[in-house]
Amino acid sequence: MEDFGEALGLTAQVVEPVSADRVCGYMQQVLEQLAEALEHAPNRPVRELDILPAAERSYLLEDLNRTAAAYPSERCIHELFEQQVQKRRRRWRWSMRTSA
């Protein structure tokens, strides 16, 4: 954190695949929530602070949970499972032949 007198700055050094923007977003949100709590509700427990930025909350709860996918609804689940096993078995055999 850098102190510019009238403003503060955040810098994050991260290792891929972590995004510095995401880390700084979390830190900024936490600092804003902490400052607001200290100013308006100093007895508020830290565990009640909203530490997720709105965009991050949306990403975690909506984007990552978007699991809808088209599938052949006329087939039973065990048939689809067996089909996947066969595909992977063929790929495995092919990779074993090419690596030998």
Side-chain angles (χ1 to χ4, degrees):
M1 183 178 295
E2 295 88 32
D3 185 352
F4 299 114
E6 295 292 319
L8 296 174
L10 294 174
T11 302
Q13 294 180 346
V14 298
V15 176
E16 290 290 336
V18 176
S19 162
D21 289 340
R22 287 179 73 190
V23 171
C24 285
Y26 270 89
M27 190 66 170
Q28 180 178 348
Q29 177 73 15
V30 168
L31 291 173
E32 288 173 1
Q33 289 289 305
L34 185 57
E36 184 178 319
L38 289 172
E39 186 175 338
H40 300 290
N43 294 325
R44 183 178 182 190
V46 172
R47 70 177 176 272
E48 292 180 6
L49 297 179
D50 186 12
I51 64 165
L52 287 176
E56 187 72 7
R57 181 181 307 284
S58 174
Y59 172 71
L60 293 172
L61 297 178
E62 295 171 19
D63 295 349
L64 291 182
N65 283 316
R66 199 168 285 128
T67 58
Y71 67 95
S73 58
E74 69 280 352
R75 306 217 22 221
C76 294
I77 190 72
H78 73 277
E79 293 172 322
L80 296 171
F81 181 81
E82 289 167 358
Q83 181 183 12
Q84 286 297 319
V85 169
Q86 292 302 320
K87 283 182 185 176
R88 290 177 188 228
R89 187 176 292 157
R90 282 192 293 272
R91 279 190 223 138
W92 182 77
R93 285 183 189 148
W94 182 81
S95 68
M96 292 302 288
R97 277 187 275 151
T98 58
S99 64

